[in-house]
């Protein structure tokens, strides 16, 4: 999964898979469950807004620079 594991929590924001069979199973599950798709989409949006918005990235960078000087 590489850096994907840093961005999402398996089962909350999406799925981390390691085989084509797992990928196919997860796609089938999401295709059949609208509520799960909605929940994961909302959780993913919240995660991105909280961690990767311009404001969030700026604050992390500001803290990093402040710690250096």
């Amino acid at each position: 999964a590489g850096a994907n594991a840093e961005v999402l929590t398996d089962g909350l924001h999406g799925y981390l898979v390691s085989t084509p069979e797992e990928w196919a199973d997860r796609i089938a599950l999401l295709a059949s469950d609208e509520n799960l798709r909605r929940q994961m989409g909302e959780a993913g949006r919240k995660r991105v807004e909280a961690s990767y918005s311009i404001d969030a990235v700026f604050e992390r960078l500001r803290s990093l620079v402040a710690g250096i000087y």
Side-chain angles (χ1 to χ4, degrees):
N4 293 330
E6 296 174 16
V7 177
L8 67 85
T9 300
D10 188 43
L12 178 61
H13 308 108
Y15 292 115
L16 298 173
V17 298
S18 57
T19 67
E21 293 78 17
E22 281 183 285
W23 183 81
D25 290 344
R26 296 303 186 265
I27 293 294
L29 175 61
L30 289 167
S32 67
D33 192 334
E34 181 178 352
N35 289 327
L36 180 60
R37 291 193 307 271
R38 190 178 320 277
Q39 289 171 352
M40 284 189 169
E42 290 172 6
R45 177 180 295 275
K46 287 178 185 176
R47 165 86 173 165
V48 167
E49 289 172 348
S51 300
Y52 301 101
S53 69
I54 294 293
D55 293 336
V57 171
F58 177 79
E59 282 304 311
R60 283 198 308 276
L61 181 59
R62 186 187 64 72
S63 296
L64 176 66
V65 171
I68 294 173
Y69 295 103

